[in-house]
Amino acid sequence: MADAGISADVINGGRRLFGKQLALAASALAVAGWLPQRQAWAAGSDKPEKTRVQVGFIPLTDCASVIVASQMGFDKKYGIEIVPNKEASWAAVRDKLVNGELDAAHVLYGLVYGVHLGIGGSKKDMAVLMNLNHNGQAITLSNQLNEQGVRDGESLAKHIQKNPREYTFAQTFPTGTHAMWLYYYLASIGVHPFQDVKTIVVPPPQMVANMRVGNMDGFCVGEPWNARAIFDKIGFTLATSQDIWTDHPEKVLGCTAAFVQQHPNTARALTAALLEASRFIDDPRNRATVAKLIAGKAYVNAPAEVIESRFLGQYDNGIGRRWQDPNYMKFYNDGQVTFPYLSDGMWFLTQHRRWGLLSSEPDYLSVASQINQIAIYKQAAAAAKVPVPSDVLRSSKLIDGKIWDGKEPARYAASFSLNSAQGVAA
């Protein structure tokens, strides 16, 4: 649909009811059949055990489904009220999930798996209800490196080799997705992510400010912070995460296993609401409106134009290359994005093992089967009329040419020439 004309006042209204413009937009959407008209799972044995659901998020473009589900009424259709909680860091999200301050969260895939296994925080049985998005992250380098001749991975590797010093790269959480994309990419160009450079943890909204004052040479983070570095003329895009793995898993709707056990109907309703929001976002007609919605201070707090360009697949690397990326951030893709494939979760375990975060070989399939709530997902998908893939595993080729299909995870984890055997950070 065309831009619904949401004003700055509406966008910045936070958790309160939107004003007149959004009401008019919602009315138009309802007439068009895009917004929910009825309730489901709201009575009898299917009634949600908890109707007010606290859902955490980090200010990133890929939090959009949480915000859309809440502000456009998809939650009400399933008898719940989603209350978005803006958090400052992934560590805060982890802690609030574990101690019950949050019921669920927009969260890093690898963080959920790390907590379940007792790495990256206290051990707690965890659950993944659905995948929230594919693609849409990137690795950004400082303009200083560009001025020194770095343009791509090959020139970065040569520069590091010829100009030895302490190079600092930031990611967002030790077991998280951005750490794994950064390590995988650096290793693919022959740079050891622990021997050849230093890696640090920085919360996503703080990446640009830290690069501005010279605290890092590069970072890996979700949008819009890579685009913001270009907008502020302090960095350029070295690689997108879809360059590393096209249609890779990224954020998930995560919670504790106890939450699912105690509130199965709520978990199903929450999943169904976000499935409908994901489908809404992936309609190209809705993208510009959603970008404006999430841009407000209560959510991502970034200029709408910074969010919108890459949200629409319109990429500019900041040093002269512009392209329309068909593999931009996806939220639905006929249910291919949202399904919690067991192989997706297992992949993060292989990388945790590769880099020494896991000291012994896990039972990959068993762990993934415990965490990824496929039965809950299928029930929610049926309610939301979302197609479900026929297989719990999928196959992909990554940037280094390796095929990942989830079938021999231990062999895959051991197959990398660059790994923790060469030294890993404590």
Side-chain angles (χ1 to χ4, degrees), residues 61-62 131-138 178 181 221-223 240-251 310 315 325-331 333 337 394:
T61 302
D62 51 32
N131 199 55
L132 294 182
N133 67 293
H134 285 169
N135 309 325
Q137 323 298 296
H178 304 115
W181 309 142
V221 74
E223 297 300 346
T240 67
S241 55
Q242 52 266 33
D243 291 333
I244 300 168
W245 178 357
T246 300
D247 291 342
H248 64 81
E250 183 52 39
K251 306 302 187 303
R310 292 190 173 189
Y315 276 75
D325 195 334
N327 302 311
Y328 63 107
M329 189 181 290
K330 298 175 185 176
F331 291 80
N333 196 20
V337 171
R394 64 183 181 125

mmCIF file of all heavy atoms in Angstrom, residues 61-62 131-138 178 181 221-223 240-251 310 315 325-331 333 337 394:
data_model
loop_
_atom_site.group_PDB
_atom_site.id
_atom_site.type_symbol
_atom_site.label_atom_id
_atom_site.label_comp_id
_atom_site.label_asym_id
_atom_site.label_seq_id
_atom_site.Cartn_x
_atom_site.Cartn_y
_atom_site.Cartn_z
ATOM 1 N N THR A 61 16.070 -2.704 13.080
ATOM 2 C CA THR A 61 15.025 -2.831 12.072
ATOM 3 C C THR A 61 14.264 -4.140 12.208
ATOM 4 O O THR A 61 13.046 -4.188 12.001
ATOM 5 C CB THR A 61 15.642 -2.717 10.664
ATOM 6 O OG1 THR A 61 16.320 -1.463 10.552
ATOM 7 C CG2 THR A 61 14.582 -2.809 9.584
ATOM 8 N N ASP A 62 14.977 -5.219 12.575
ATOM 9 C CA ASP A 62 14.313 -6.516 12.617
ATOM 10 C C ASP A 62 13.462 -6.748 13.863
ATOM 11 O O ASP A 62 12.950 -7.852 14.070
ATOM 12 C CB ASP A 62 15.298 -7.659 12.409
ATOM 13 C CG ASP A 62 16.521 -7.601 13.313
ATOM 14 O OD1 ASP A 62 16.405 -7.109 14.447
ATOM 15 O OD2 ASP A 62 17.608 -8.057 12.885
ATOM 16 N N ASN A 131 11.287 -18.084 14.040
ATOM 17 C CA ASN A 131 12.334 -17.209 13.513
ATOM 18 C C ASN A 131 11.668 -15.893 13.092
ATOM 19 O O ASN A 131 10.549 -15.896 12.575
ATOM 20 C CB ASN A 131 13.008 -17.862 12.311
ATOM 21 C CG ASN A 131 14.359 -17.271 12.006
ATOM 22 O OD1 ASN A 131 15.220 -17.225 12.871
ATOM 23 N ND2 ASN A 131 14.558 -16.819 10.781
ATOM 24 N N LEU A 132 12.338 -14.774 13.330
ATOM 25 C CA LEU A 132 11.738 -13.472 13.023
ATOM 26 C C LEU A 132 12.187 -12.887 11.700
ATOM 27 O O LEU A 132 11.442 -12.120 11.087
ATOM 28 C CB LEU A 132 12.048 -12.474 14.151
ATOM 29 C CG LEU A 132 11.412 -12.772 15.507
ATOM 30 C CD1 LEU A 132 11.771 -11.683 16.510
ATOM 31 C CD2 LEU A 132 9.890 -12.908 15.395
ATOM 32 N N ASN A 133 13.404 -13.186 11.275
ATOM 33 C CA ASN A 133 13.837 -12.605 9.993
ATOM 34 C C ASN A 133 15.028 -13.351 9.420
ATOM 35 O O ASN A 133 15.732 -14.068 10.136
ATOM 36 C CB ASN A 133 14.195 -11.118 10.135
ATOM 37 C CG ASN A 133 15.425 -10.870 10.988
ATOM 38 O OD1 ASN A 133 15.411 -11.107 12.200
ATOM 39 N ND2 ASN A 133 16.492 -10.390 10.372
ATOM 40 N N HIS A 134 15.208 -13.189 8.143
ATOM 41 C CA HIS A 134 16.405 -13.607 7.427
ATOM 42 C C HIS A 134 17.128 -12.357 6.922
ATOM 43 O O HIS A 134 16.499 -11.346 6.635
ATOM 44 C CB HIS A 134 16.061 -14.480 6.214
ATOM 45 C CG HIS A 134 15.647 -15.881 6.557
ATOM 46 N ND1 HIS A 134 15.103 -16.730 5.621
ATOM 47 C CD2 HIS A 134 15.725 -16.584 7.717
ATOM 48 C CE1 HIS A 134 14.858 -17.902 6.181
ATOM 49 N NE2 HIS A 134 15.214 -17.829 7.457
ATOM 50 N N ASN A 135 18.447 -12.433 6.826
ATOM 51 C CA ASN A 135 19.260 -11.380 6.186
ATOM 52 C C ASN A 135 19.227 -10.050 6.955
ATOM 53 O O ASN A 135 18.704 -9.959 8.058
ATOM 54 C CB ASN A 135 18.805 -11.167 4.734
ATOM 55 C CG ASN A 135 18.737 -12.448 3.942
ATOM 56 O OD1 ASN A 135 19.541 -13.346 4.132
ATOM 57 N ND2 ASN A 135 17.774 -12.546 3.041
ATOM 58 N N GLY A 136 19.850 -9.022 6.337
ATOM 59 C CA GLY A 136 19.702 -7.665 6.828
ATOM 60 C C GLY A 136 20.685 -7.191 7.869
ATOM 61 O O GLY A 136 20.452 -6.171 8.503
ATOM 62 N N GLN A 137 21.806 -7.911 8.062
ATOM 63 C CA GLN A 137 22.860 -7.441 8.949
ATOM 64 C C GLN A 137 24.058 -7.065 8.058
ATOM 65 O O GLN A 137 24.027 -7.274 6.856
ATOM 66 C CB GLN A 137 23.260 -8.524 9.945
ATOM 67 C CG GLN A 137 22.102 -9.390 10.461
ATOM 68 C CD GLN A 137 21.041 -8.639 11.210
ATOM 69 O OE1 GLN A 137 21.292 -8.069 12.266
ATOM 70 N NE2 GLN A 137 19.804 -8.631 10.675
ATOM 71 N N ALA A 138 25.125 -6.545 8.632
ATOM 72 C CA ALA A 138 26.285 -6.204 7.808
ATOM 73 C C ALA A 138 27.526 -6.010 8.666
ATOM 74 O O ALA A 138 27.454 -5.863 9.891
ATOM 75 C CB ALA A 138 26.009 -4.944 6.973
ATOM 76 N N HIS A 178 25.767 -11.884 15.374
ATOM 77 C CA HIS A 178 26.748 -10.950 14.809
ATOM 78 C C HIS A 178 28.174 -11.406 15.071
ATOM 79 O O HIS A 178 29.051 -11.237 14.221
ATOM 80 C CB HIS A 178 26.500 -9.539 15.347
ATOM 81 C CG HIS A 178 25.110 -9.075 15.087
ATOM 82 N ND1 HIS A 178 24.212 -8.829 16.097
ATOM 83 C CD2 HIS A 178 24.444 -8.864 13.927
ATOM 84 C CE1 HIS A 178 23.050 -8.476 15.564
ATOM 85 N NE2 HIS A 178 23.167 -8.496 14.252
ATOM 86 N N TRP A 181 28.696 -14.161 12.446
ATOM 87 C CA TRP A 181 28.894 -13.643 11.081
ATOM 88 C C TRP A 181 30.280 -12.998 10.960
ATOM 89 O O TRP A 181 30.980 -13.201 9.962
ATOM 90 C CB TRP A 181 27.829 -12.605 10.709
ATOM 91 C CG TRP A 181 26.402 -13.003 10.921
ATOM 92 C CD1 TRP A 181 25.390 -12.197 11.364
ATOM 93 C CD2 TRP A 181 25.785 -14.283 10.692
ATOM 94 N NE1 TRP A 181 24.217 -12.892 11.445
ATOM 95 C CE2 TRP A 181 24.421 -14.172 11.035
ATOM 96 C CE3 TRP A 181 26.277 -15.510 10.246
ATOM 97 C CZ2 TRP A 181 23.536 -15.247 10.935
ATOM 98 C CZ3 TRP A 181 25.397 -16.580 10.161
ATOM 99 C CH2 TRP A 181 24.048 -16.450 10.497
ATOM 100 N N VAL A 221 26.715 -5.719 12.963
ATOM 101 C CA VAL A 221 25.491 -5.390 13.682
ATOM 102 C C VAL A 221 24.322 -5.443 12.716
ATOM 103 O O VAL A 221 24.507 -5.506 11.492
ATOM 104 C CB VAL A 221 25.620 -3.973 14.325
ATOM 105 C CG1 VAL A 221 25.515 -2.888 13.263
ATOM 106 C CG2 VAL A 221 24.598 -3.744 15.436
ATOM 107 N N GLY A 222 23.120 -5.397 13.259
ATOM 108 C CA GLY A 222 21.932 -5.322 12.428
ATOM 109 C C GLY A 222 21.660 -3.901 11.971
ATOM 110 O O GLY A 222 22.210 -2.939 12.501
ATOM 111 N N GLU A 223 20.784 -3.799 10.973
ATOM 112 C CA GLU A 223 20.353 -2.479 10.529
ATOM 113 C C GLU A 223 19.414 -1.862 11.561
ATOM 114 O O GLU A 223 18.782 -2.575 12.330
ATOM 115 C CB GLU A 223 19.658 -2.595 9.172
ATOM 116 C CG GLU A 223 20.537 -3.101 8.050
ATOM 117 C CD GLU A 223 21.765 -2.240 7.764
ATOM 118 O OE1 GLU A 223 21.841 -1.084 8.245
ATOM 119 O OE2 GLU A 223 22.672 -2.726 7.082
ATOM 120 N N THR A 240 27.532 -7.653 3.490
ATOM 121 C CA THR A 240 26.260 -7.891 4.160
ATOM 122 C C THR A 240 26.240 -9.320 4.684
ATOM 123 O O THR A 240 26.985 -10.190 4.199
ATOM 124 C CB THR A 240 25.070 -7.678 3.212
ATOM 125 O OG1 THR A 240 25.097 -8.700 2.199
ATOM 126 C CG2 THR A 240 25.113 -6.299 2.562
ATOM 127 N N SER A 241 25.383 -9.571 5.646
ATOM 128 C CA SER A 241 25.293 -10.934 6.173
ATOM 129 C C SER A 241 24.725 -11.899 5.138
ATOM 130 O O SER A 241 25.061 -13.093 5.154
ATOM 131 C CB SER A 241 24.446 -10.951 7.448
ATOM 132 O OG SER A 241 23.175 -10.380 7.216
ATOM 133 N N GLN A 242 23.903 -11.396 4.221
ATOM 134 C CA GLN A 242 23.410 -12.265 3.160
ATOM 135 C C GLN A 242 24.507 -12.621 2.160
ATOM 136 O O GLN A 242 24.387 -13.613 1.432
ATOM 137 C CB GLN A 242 22.197 -11.653 2.463
ATOM 138 C CG GLN A 242 22.339 -10.239 1.954
ATOM 139 C CD GLN A 242 21.846 -9.195 2.954
ATOM 140 O OE1 GLN A 242 21.960 -9.381 4.161
ATOM 141 N NE2 GLN A 242 21.290 -8.100 2.461
ATOM 142 N N ASP A 243 25.590 -11.842 2.131
ATOM 143 C CA ASP A 243 26.766 -12.250 1.363
ATOM 144 C C ASP A 243 27.416 -13.478 2.001
ATOM 145 O O ASP A 243 27.988 -14.324 1.305
ATOM 146 C CB ASP A 243 27.824 -11.132 1.332
ATOM 147 C CG ASP A 243 27.405 -9.920 0.527
ATOM 148 O OD1 ASP A 243 26.599 -10.070 -0.409
ATOM 149 O OD2 ASP A 243 27.891 -8.816 0.837
ATOM 150 N N ILE A 244 27.342 -13.551 3.316
ATOM 151 C CA ILE A 244 27.958 -14.655 4.053
ATOM 152 C C ILE A 244 27.100 -15.908 3.952
ATOM 153 O O ILE A 244 27.599 -17.013 3.721
ATOM 154 C CB ILE A 244 28.157 -14.256 5.532
ATOM 155 C CG1 ILE A 244 29.057 -13.018 5.623
ATOM 156 C CG2 ILE A 244 28.744 -15.416 6.344
ATOM 157 C CD1 ILE A 244 29.087 -12.372 6.995
ATOM 158 N N TRP A 245 25.796 -15.732 4.105
ATOM 159 C CA TRP A 245 24.838 -16.853 4.042
ATOM 160 C C TRP A 245 23.510 -16.277 3.592
ATOM 161 O O TRP A 245 22.821 -15.607 4.339
ATOM 162 C CB TRP A 245 24.717 -17.521 5.416
ATOM 163 C CG TRP A 245 23.729 -18.643 5.506
ATOM 164 C CD1 TRP A 245 22.886 -19.114 4.544
ATOM 165 C CD2 TRP A 245 23.466 -19.448 6.680
ATOM 166 N NE1 TRP A 245 22.128 -20.143 5.020
ATOM 167 C CE2 TRP A 245 22.455 -20.380 6.319
ATOM 168 C CE3 TRP A 245 23.978 -19.459 7.983
ATOM 169 C CZ2 TRP A 245 21.959 -21.320 7.230
ATOM 170 C CZ3 TRP A 245 23.469 -20.400 8.879
ATOM 171 C CH2 TRP A 245 22.481 -21.317 8.506
ATOM 172 N N THR A 246 23.154 -16.530 2.355
ATOM 173 C CA THR A 246 21.888 -16.020 1.822
ATOM 174 C C THR A 246 20.716 -16.666 2.551
ATOM 175 O O THR A 246 20.644 -17.890 2.679
ATOM 176 C CB THR A 246 21.782 -16.301 0.314
ATOM 177 O OG1 THR A 246 22.870 -15.664 -0.352
ATOM 178 C CG2 THR A 246 20.481 -15.777 -0.254
ATOM 179 N N ASP A 247 19.807 -15.825 3.027
ATOM 180 C CA ASP A 247 18.631 -16.259 3.778
ATOM 181 C C ASP A 247 19.006 -16.971 5.081
ATOM 182 O O ASP A 247 18.387 -17.965 5.477
ATOM 183 C CB ASP A 247 17.710 -17.135 2.922
ATOM 184 C CG ASP A 247 17.026 -16.347 1.818
ATOM 185 O OD1 ASP A 247 16.980 -15.101 1.911
ATOM 186 O OD2 ASP A 247 16.541 -16.977 0.850
ATOM 187 N N HIS A 248 20.006 -16.417 5.764
ATOM 188 C CA HIS A 248 20.430 -16.983 7.040
ATOM 189 C C HIS A 248 19.410 -16.679 8.136
ATOM 190 O O HIS A 248 18.684 -15.685 8.078
ATOM 191 C CB HIS A 248 21.787 -16.407 7.453
ATOM 192 C CG HIS A 248 21.760 -14.926 7.711
ATOM 193 N ND1 HIS A 248 21.309 -14.385 8.903
ATOM 194 C CD2 HIS A 248 22.123 -13.870 6.947
ATOM 195 C CE1 HIS A 248 21.402 -13.071 8.857
ATOM 196 N NE2 HIS A 248 21.880 -12.718 7.674
ATOM 197 N N PRO A 249 19.360 -17.516 9.177
ATOM 198 C CA PRO A 249 18.516 -17.205 10.333
ATOM 199 C C PRO A 249 19.135 -16.048 11.104
ATOM 200 O O PRO A 249 20.347 -15.869 11.117
ATOM 201 C CB PRO A 249 18.564 -18.500 11.156
ATOM 202 C CG PRO A 249 19.906 -19.091 10.817
ATOM 203 C CD PRO A 249 20.131 -18.756 9.362
ATOM 204 N N GLU A 250 18.306 -15.266 11.772
ATOM 205 C CA GLU A 250 18.842 -14.096 12.479
ATOM 206 C C GLU A 250 18.196 -13.959 13.855
ATOM 207 O O GLU A 250 18.557 -14.661 14.774
ATOM 208 C CB GLU A 250 18.653 -12.835 11.621
ATOM 209 C CG GLU A 250 19.224 -11.570 12.224
ATOM 210 C CD GLU A 250 20.666 -11.681 12.668
ATOM 211 O OE1 GLU A 250 21.467 -12.317 11.969
ATOM 212 O OE2 GLU A 250 20.997 -11.163 13.744
ATOM 213 N N LYS A 251 17.219 -13.089 14.031
ATOM 214 C CA LYS A 251 16.560 -12.957 15.326
ATOM 215 C C LYS A 251 15.440 -14.001 15.439
ATOM 216 O O LYS A 251 14.899 -14.468 14.430
ATOM 217 C CB LYS A 251 15.961 -11.552 15.501
ATOM 218 C CG LYS A 251 16.935 -10.411 15.289
ATOM 219 C CD LYS A 251 18.131 -10.456 16.192
ATOM 220 C CE LYS A 251 18.978 -9.196 16.052
ATOM 221 N NZ LYS A 251 19.461 -8.922 14.678
ATOM 222 N N ARG A 310 17.483 0.265 3.126
ATOM 223 C CA ARG A 310 17.856 -1.149 3.162
ATOM 224 C C ARG A 310 16.665 -2.042 3.476
ATOM 225 O O ARG A 310 16.651 -3.223 3.101
ATOM 226 C CB ARG A 310 19.003 -1.368 4.148
ATOM 227 C CG ARG A 310 20.292 -0.720 3.652
ATOM 228 C CD ARG A 310 21.528 -1.076 4.428
ATOM 229 N NE ARG A 310 22.718 -0.533 3.773
ATOM 230 C CZ ARG A 310 23.965 -0.815 4.104
ATOM 231 N NH1 ARG A 310 24.214 -1.646 5.112
ATOM 232 N NH2 ARG A 310 24.979 -0.286 3.450
ATOM 233 N N TYR A 315 20.549 -0.770 -1.529
ATOM 234 C CA TYR A 315 21.829 -0.733 -0.822
ATOM 235 C C TYR A 315 22.816 0.241 -1.457
ATOM 236 O O TYR A 315 22.877 0.387 -2.679
ATOM 237 C CB TYR A 315 22.459 -2.127 -0.773
ATOM 238 C CG TYR A 315 21.935 -2.972 0.370
ATOM 239 C CD1 TYR A 315 20.666 -3.550 0.317
ATOM 240 C CD2 TYR A 315 22.706 -3.193 1.503
ATOM 241 C CE1 TYR A 315 20.183 -4.319 1.370
ATOM 242 C CE2 TYR A 315 22.237 -3.958 2.558
ATOM 243 C CZ TYR A 315 20.977 -4.521 2.490
ATOM 244 O OH TYR A 315 20.507 -5.268 3.530
ATOM 245 N N ASP A 325 19.247 -5.264 -3.742
ATOM 246 C CA ASP A 325 19.562 -6.600 -3.244
ATOM 247 C C ASP A 325 18.286 -7.431 -3.129
ATOM 248 O O ASP A 325 17.396 -7.105 -2.350
ATOM 249 C CB ASP A 325 20.236 -6.491 -1.873
ATOM 250 C CG ASP A 325 20.910 -7.783 -1.437
ATOM 251 O OD1 ASP A 325 20.479 -8.861 -1.905
ATOM 252 O OD2 ASP A 325 21.858 -7.717 -0.648
ATOM 253 N N PRO A 326 18.177 -8.521 -3.910
ATOM 254 C CA PRO A 326 16.976 -9.359 -3.816
ATOM 255 C C PRO A 326 16.911 -10.127 -2.501
ATOM 256 O O PRO A 326 15.854 -10.639 -2.131
ATOM 257 C CB PRO A 326 17.125 -10.314 -5.006
ATOM 258 C CG PRO A 326 18.612 -10.397 -5.236
ATOM 259 C CD PRO A 326 19.142 -9.023 -4.914
ATOM 260 N N ASN A 327 18.057 -10.194 -1.795
ATOM 261 C CA ASN A 327 18.126 -10.940 -0.540
ATOM 262 C C ASN A 327 18.142 -10.007 0.661
ATOM 263 O O ASN A 327 18.864 -10.238 1.628
ATOM 264 C CB ASN A 327 19.369 -11.833 -0.551
ATOM 265 C CG ASN A 327 19.379 -12.792 -1.711
ATOM 266 O OD1 ASN A 327 18.394 -13.469 -1.972
ATOM 267 N ND2 ASN A 327 20.473 -12.832 -2.438
ATOM 268 N N TYR A 328 17.340 -8.960 0.583
ATOM 269 C CA TYR A 328 17.257 -8.014 1.687
ATOM 270 C C TYR A 328 16.497 -8.648 2.857
ATOM 271 O O TYR A 328 16.100 -9.809 2.805
ATOM 272 C CB TYR A 328 16.591 -6.717 1.230
ATOM 273 C CG TYR A 328 15.157 -6.851 0.764
ATOM 274 C CD1 TYR A 328 14.120 -6.383 1.550
ATOM 275 C CD2 TYR A 328 14.841 -7.427 -0.470
ATOM 276 C CE1 TYR A 328 12.788 -6.483 1.136
ATOM 277 C CE2 TYR A 328 13.526 -7.545 -0.888
ATOM 278 C CZ TYR A 328 12.512 -7.079 -0.088
ATOM 279 O OH TYR A 328 11.214 -7.202 -0.499
ATOM 280 N N MET A 329 16.313 -7.898 3.933
ATOM 281 C CA MET A 329 15.696 -8.432 5.142
ATOM 282 C C MET A 329 14.282 -8.936 4.857
ATOM 283 O O MET A 329 13.420 -8.192 4.421
ATOM 284 C CB MET A 329 15.656 -7.358 6.235
ATOM 285 C CG MET A 329 15.225 -7.878 7.599
ATOM 286 S SD MET A 329 15.180 -6.558 8.850
ATOM 287 C CE MET A 329 16.932 -6.231 9.040
ATOM 288 N N LYS A 330 14.070 -10.222 5.147
ATOM 289 C CA LYS A 330 12.768 -10.844 4.932
ATOM 290 C C LYS A 330 12.182 -11.267 6.281
ATOM 291 O O LYS A 330 12.912 -11.687 7.181
ATOM 292 C CB LYS A 330 12.907 -12.065 4.025
ATOM 293 C CG LYS A 330 13.437 -11.744 2.634
ATOM 294 C CD LYS A 330 13.673 -13.017 1.820
ATOM 295 C CE LYS A 330 14.312 -12.710 0.478
ATOM 296 N NZ LYS A 330 14.643 -13.938 -0.285
ATOM 297 N N PHE A 331 10.860 -11.176 6.370
ATOM 298 C CA PHE A 331 10.178 -11.514 7.617
ATOM 299 C C PHE A 331 9.225 -12.703 7.463
ATOM 300 O O PHE A 331 8.827 -13.282 8.464
ATOM 301 C CB PHE A 331 9.383 -10.314 8.120
ATOM 302 C CG PHE A 331 10.238 -9.173 8.607
ATOM 303 C CD1 PHE A 331 10.815 -8.283 7.704
ATOM 304 C CD2 PHE A 331 10.479 -8.992 9.954
ATOM 305 C CE1 PHE A 331 11.604 -7.231 8.143
ATOM 306 C CE2 PHE A 331 11.268 -7.941 10.410
ATOM 307 C CZ PHE A 331 11.837 -7.061 9.503
ATOM 308 N N ASN A 333 8.205 -14.590 3.687
ATOM 309 C CA ASN A 333 8.569 -15.417 2.525
ATOM 310 C C ASN A 333 7.806 -16.744 2.510
ATOM 311 O O ASN A 333 8.391 -17.828 2.461
ATOM 312 C CB ASN A 333 10.084 -15.662 2.511
ATOM 313 C CG ASN A 333 10.581 -16.175 1.158
ATOM 314 O OD1 ASN A 333 9.920 -16.011 0.134
ATOM 315 N ND2 ASN A 333 11.744 -16.803 1.169
ATOM 316 N N VAL A 337 10.722 -18.069 6.220
ATOM 317 C CA VAL A 337 11.514 -17.307 7.195
ATOM 318 C C VAL A 337 11.160 -17.725 8.618
ATOM 319 O O VAL A 337 12.041 -17.925 9.462
ATOM 320 C CB VAL A 337 11.275 -15.789 7.031
ATOM 321 C CG1 VAL A 337 11.922 -15.018 8.177
ATOM 322 C CG2 VAL A 337 11.821 -15.301 5.696
ATOM 323 N N ARG A 394 17.183 -27.729 6.461
ATOM 324 C CA ARG A 394 17.313 -27.105 5.148
ATOM 325 C C ARG A 394 18.781 -27.025 4.780
ATOM 326 O O ARG A 394 19.662 -27.111 5.641
ATOM 327 C CB ARG A 394 16.653 -25.725 5.111
ATOM 328 C CG ARG A 394 17.269 -24.669 6.025
ATOM 329 C CD ARG A 394 16.496 -23.360 5.951
ATOM 330 N NE ARG A 394 17.080 -22.329 6.797
ATOM 331 C CZ ARG A 394 17.452 -21.126 6.377
ATOM 332 N NH1 ARG A 394 17.313 -20.799 5.098
ATOM 333 N NH2 ARG A 394 17.955 -20.238 7.218
#
